[in-house]
Amino acid sequence: MLYNVAQLLRGPTGAERRYGVSEEIRDLDPDLDPISPLTGSIKLMRTSQGVLVTGRLRTAMQMTCHRCLEPMVGEVELELEEEFHSLGHFGEASLDEILEEDDEALLIDEHHQLDLTEVVRQGLWLAAPMEALCRPDCAGLCPRCGGNRNLGECLCDEAPVDPRWAALQTLLSDESKSQERSD
Ligand SMILES: [Zn+2]
Ligand SMILES: [Zn+2]
């Protein structure tokens, strides 16, 4: 996800460029499992310090429902707003000094290439839902038998009532009957 910003950096502050994005991101991160390309649009704007990238990107990822643990596909939308700094704008400062105050991922290299890869990778981690649900009313797994309640695997509700409860229920109903009689 490289953008050459040489021309933009020569332009006045506030100058803009817009790009449509359609990137294959399967190899972006071994722990993310995108199943569709990253699409959307971004805007690159020249600032006094470098280039401000804003935009909205989306993809779909394979994930796991956190209630029923079944595989599912989730939409992920990524809002970008990052300012990249150009090495040329630091004058005499050494690279070490620059890196002390600036994230390396946000540096425009000496060939005026702005690389969005790392920003997008981190952004997808933040944008991916921590508690994804296969559907809003996912019934989840039964804590007693572990069956998937969406699939009707759990029969716990129909399981026989605990015999101690049964005895108590009989007692209570006998009591109410005797009360009815005395009224
Ligand atoms: Zn689920
Ligand atoms: Zn159950």
Side-chain angles (χ1 to χ4, degrees):
M1 270 170 266
L2 284 177
Y3 296 86
N4 191 302
V5 293
Q7 271 210 308
L8 195 60
L9 286 172
R10 277 197 292 271
T13 300
E16 289 177 8
R17 288 233 162 41
R18 284 165 198 274
Y19 297 91
V21 174
S22 183
E23 286 278 341
E24 194 49 67
I25 52 166
R26 251 177 247 279
D27 300 326
L28 188 64
D29 188 307
D31 293 322
L32 290 174
D33 197 0
I35 56 161
S36 73
L38 185 73
T39 57
S41 62
I42 57 164
K43 186 177 83 178
L44 271 48
M45 190 182 83
R46 171 82 159 92
T47 63
S48 58
Q49 300 274 309
V51 174
L52 178 69
V53 181
T54 53
R56 187 173 291 204
L57 303 170
R58 64 197 69 83
T59 184
M61 291 202 277
Q62 189 71 53
M63 43 185 93
T64 303
C65 172
H66 100 108
R67 270 192 213 153
C68 70
L69 308 181
E70 289 293 318
M72 57 170 278
V73 171
E75 301 281 325
V76 176
E77 195 167 81
L78 172 59
E79 197 97 38
L80 282 184
E81 185 174 346
E82 294 287 355
E83 189 173 24
F84 284 71
H85 292 152
S86 168
L87 283 174
H89 288 77
F90 288 94
E92 298 290 290
S94 72
L95 190 62
D96 285 346
E97 286 173 62
I98 295 166
L99 292 179
E100 250 173 49
E101 48 189 280
D102 224 340
D103 189 340
E104 199 174 349
L106 297 177
L107 286 180
I108 298 165
D109 73 9
E110 64 272 30
H111 306 294
H112 310 293
Q113 303 264 38
L114 182 158
D115 189 357
L116 269 187
T117 310
E118 182 57 20
V119 166
V120 164
R121 194 185 70 79
Q122 290 180 11
L124 285 176
W125 271 111
L126 293 176
M130 298 291 287
E131 301 190 339
L133 288 179
C134 60
R135 58 185 206 217
D137 62 344
C138 170
L141 300 179
C142 170
R144 284 168 74 183
C145 70
N148 186 339
R149 286 170 162 166
N150 297 320
L151 304 175
E153 281 174 5
C154 161
L155 298 173
C156 291
D157 290 345
E158 291 153 39
V161 178
D162 187 310
R164 282 165 297 177
W165 276 107
L168 190 63
Q169 271 172 346
T170 318
L171 205 71
L172 285 172
S173 62
D174 282 352
E175 210 168 289
S176 60
K177 265 177 219 154
S178 57
Q179 265 177 7
E180 273 164 37
R181 255 176 254 135
S182 63
D183 283 342

